[in-house]
Amino acid sequence: MAATPATGFSVGSTASAGPKVGFTQLNASSVKLNPKKYLTSFSGLKAANSVSCESQSSFLGDESTLVLKQGYNSMAQKYSNRSYTRVQPQASYKVAILGASGGIGQPLALLVKMSPLVSELNLYDIANVKGVAADLSHCNTPSKVSDFTGESELAACLRDVDVVVIPAGVPRKPGMTRDDLFNINANIVKTLVGAVADNCPDAFIHIISNPVNSTVPIAAEVLKQKGVYDPKKLFGVTTLDVVRANTFVAQKKNLKLIDVDVPVVGGHAGITILPLLSKAKPSITLTDEEVQELTVRIQNAGTEVVEAKAGAGSATLSMAYAAARFVESSLRALDGDTDVYECSFIQSELAELPFFASRIKLGKDGVEAVISSELQGLTEYEQKALEELKTELKASIEKGVAFVQKQAIAA
């Protein structure tokens, strides 16, 4: 059954400025993956009549892995009696990573370099990016890698880019909350998004820099001031919360990871992260104690990594993995795949807040629909947690908006 709209109304922003968002709300029960375009090849695969894609940890995710397998098998069968020795990838999109020499940026750049949909990969940082680019350029995947260092080269990095990913900023250290990062990372995001507005205003913008609950509203305000804000193309990357929820649930219930899908809503910090375990696929049975234990672990997973690294860093590898998955989903949507769904922190009215993370459908123009039904029929525990997170999330959003507006007045 194809995904069909459950309702006919649009969702607009409650923010004081910016255009209304033409998101359709969809019923989650109608969602089905039935892609019409396939990732037909990858440079690491030899031409054959079939290919095995059984890895459960591919950053492509289970949907993309299945698409890759089906598409490659179909293509290989079609040409099996011809003289072709391999199927060339259809790389056609330009991606820029801002903060590419950092702890998240480097592994993220490697994973994006592996995508058969990327033709050009631009890497930007204030220092040490040339070596990263030189290293990556030796990988025999289709995309051309270019390096850009410092503010004077930022515009060239962003010219004609389709997807911009921003992991730039300082990492979290032991005892530091995401909110402690605000003053440093807020300025970084403001500057970088301003450059995006000037050089590639139509690009998908993926915000990773923490605190996401505030940096996404900062990005929105900057884009509004520049007159190029399209709320359907601004995303806070919360995929890591989904990745963690899927992993922890699979471990707890001894399930195959590829089968598990847990929607995570709210925001991207502490109690604002709300895994909807009652909506997990496949359906699982959990005691009240297990629900609380899993919820708290998912909410505090970032702190778990920070403490385990004992001052040596934060969650960089898992964040890079999750971000690469979201980038791949965006590229698939841009390439015409009509069945791409992810959770993301976007401008929304789903919970009477200006921004909110929920499952969305991605299309060529960005957010195509918001899956509203996943907030219906929640358990008592989830409903209470949802109400409790709103106060903190609202404050974080307002902090981001106020930061940009105060700077504008001061200027």
Side-chain angles (χ1 to χ4, degrees):
M1 178 175 66
T4 55
T7 58
F9 57 90
S10 296
V11 181
S13 171
T14 58
S16 59
K20 288 286 185 178
V21 190
F23 304 158
T24 302
Q25 292 194 359
L26 296 187
N27 188 304
S29 63
S30 67
V31 173
K32 179 183 177 184
L33 294 176
N34 184 28
K36 296 180 180 179
K37 289 192 176 184
Y38 301 122
L39 304 183
T40 55
S41 58
F42 186 80
S43 64
L45 300 176
K46 289 180 66 177
N49 288 335
S50 65
V51 61
S52 176
C53 296
E54 300 302 329
S55 171
Q56 296 175 11
S57 62
S58 168
F59 77 90
L60 295 172
D62 55 332
E63 301 97 338
S64 295
T65 301
L66 179 60
V67 167
L68 177 61
K69 179 178 179 181
Q70 291 175 335
Y72 186 84
N73 289 348
S74 174
M75 187 67 75
Q77 185 66 38
K78 179 178 179 180
Y79 292 119
S80 61
N81 296 323
R82 302 188 187 184
S83 59
Y84 297 97
T85 57
R86 60 183 177 178
V87 181
Q88 292 293 342
Q90 302 292 318
S92 59
Y93 296 99
K94 191 172 181 178
V95 177
I97 298 176
L98 310 184
S101 65
I104 296 171
Q106 289 197 44
L108 173 59
L110 173 61
L111 292 172
V112 174
K113 179 74 168 76
M114 294 170 63
S115 172
L117 290 172
V118 178
S119 59
E120 294 184 54
L121 177 59
N122 288 355
L123 306 181
Y124 171 84
D125 217 316
I126 57 174
N128 305 321
V129 74
K130 284 187 179 296
V132 176
D135 198 358
L136 276 181
S137 69
H138 294 177
C139 299
N140 65 325
T141 60
S143 54
K144 172 188 173 184
V145 181
S146 301
D147 62 273
F148 303 85
T149 303
E151 188 175 349
S152 63
E153 297 184 4
L154 181 55
C157 172
L158 292 169
R159 196 165 294 123
D160 301 322
V161 163
D162 299 295
V163 175
V164 179
V165 193
I166 306 180
V170 298
R172 205 152 54 109
K173 297 177 182 178
M176 183 185 287
T177 66
R178 285 184 172 88
D179 199 51
D180 293 331
L181 305 177
F182 180 84
N183 288 330
I184 298 173
N185 289 355
N187 274 301
I188 292 172
V189 169
K190 178 178 180 292
T191 299
L192 295 176
V193 172
V196 171
D198 291 337
N199 296 281
C200 54
D202 293 327
F204 284 18
I205 305 173
H206 296 181
I207 304 291
I208 297 172
S209 306
N210 276 318
V212 166
N213 292 354
S214 297
T215 54
V216 171
I218 286 171
E221 290 302 305
V222 171
L223 294 167
K224 288 173 188 176
Q225 289 180 0
K226 295 277 188 176
V228 294
Y229 180 44
D230 184 348
K232 293 188 288 186
K233 294 184 177 181
L234 177 62
F235 308 91
V237 180
T238 61
T239 317
L240 180 54
D241 299 325
V242 177
V243 166
R244 286 168 168 162
N246 292 349
T247 301
F248 300 161
V249 167
Q251 291 171 345
K252 186 76 173 178
K253 305 306 290 185
N254 196 28
L255 299 170
K256 289 180 63 177
L257 264 171
I258 199 170
D259 296 330
V260 180
D261 180 28
V262 181
V264 182
V265 303
H268 186 56
I271 67 166
T272 70
I273 300 169
L274 178 57
L276 300 181
L277 298 170
S278 69
K279 305 291 184 176
K281 303 296 181 186
S283 180
I284 54 175
T285 301
L286 297 168
T287 65
D288 292 344
E289 291 75 16
E290 287 175 325
V291 169
Q292 183 172 6
E293 175 192 340
L294 280 168
T295 300
V296 171
R297 189 183 178 198
I298 293 162
Q299 291 173 338
N300 296 330
T303 301
E304 183 179 311
V305 175
V306 169
E307 292 176 349
K309 290 189 175 183
S314 57
T316 55
L317 300 177
S318 55
M319 184 64 249
Y321 166 93
R325 165 175 153 171
F326 195 83
V327 169
E328 189 72 14
S329 292
S330 294
L331 294 172
R332 285 170 49 208
L334 283 168
D335 200 46
D337 189 332
T338 58
D339 294 275
V340 183
Y341 297 85
E342 290 284 359
C343 289
S344 181
F345 187 63
I346 63 166
Q347 181 175 308
S348 171
E349 283 186 346
L350 199 55
E352 300 86 40
L353 291 168
F355 295 87
F356 192 78
S358 65
R359 195 188 302 276
I360 58 174
K361 179 180 180 181
L362 287 163
K364 286 186 174 183
D365 296 321
V367 180
E368 191 171 289
V370 175
I371 312 303
S372 60
S373 63
E374 288 182 334
L375 286 184
Q376 299 168 7
L378 300 182
T379 65
E380 182 179 347
Y381 177 89
E382 291 167 342
Q383 190 61 53
K384 182 180 178 182
L386 176 61
E387 293 307 313
E388 289 175 349
L389 73 81
K390 289 179 181 179
T391 300
E392 182 172 323
L393 183 53
K394 183 174 184 288
S396 296
I397 293 168
E398 290 175 346
K399 186 175 184 178
V401 172
F403 171 81
V404 180
Q405 292 180 346
K406 284 178 183 178
Q407 287 202 342
I409 292 172

